[in-house]
Amino acid sequence: MSNAREFIDFWVENSVHAVEQYRTVGASQDVAELTRRLVEAAEGQGISEAELRAEIGDISDYIEGRLKAANRAENERRKPV
């Protein structure tokens, strides 16, 4: 696994949260904001935007997909049994 991929997985785990957790400090449902944060954080670790794209394709599309998945999982978790 590449450093870029490891960083992406770590960042998503810690930065992309379901809407029900929106009040979490720093949590956002804004894809553009999350994309900017990921690119800035990666650059701070010496990982370029091009390296991110090589791993996941379009960064905004990837984050949007992860956000939708987090929201779906939270909705499923909250359904009455």
Side-chain angles (χ1 to χ4, degrees), residues 5 8-9 12 27 32 38 40-41 46 48 54 65 74:
R5 182 80 229 189
I8 292 163
D9 291 345
V12 166
L38 172 56
E40 286 179 359
S48 71
E74 182 66 12

Side-chain angles (χ1 to χ4, degrees), residues 7-64:
F7 181 79
I8 292 163
D9 291 345
F10 173 81
W11 189 90
V12 166
E13 179 71 26
N14 289 284
S15 302
V16 175
H17 306 288
V19 72
E20 284 79 5
Q21 297 175 323
Y22 189 73
R23 289 179 188 84
T24 303
V25 175
S28 176
Q29 291 283 301
D30 185 306
V31 172
E33 173 71 15
L34 290 168
T35 299
R36 184 187 60 75
R37 289 183 189 178
L38 172 56
V39 170
E40 286 179 359
E43 288 173 348
Q45 296 296 313
I47 300 167
S48 71
E49 188 172 341
E51 289 174 282
L52 296 177
R53 283 195 306 272
E55 286 294 327
I56 60 175
D58 184 278
I59 298 167
S60 292
D61 287 350
Y62 179 81
I63 288 176
E64 183 176 22

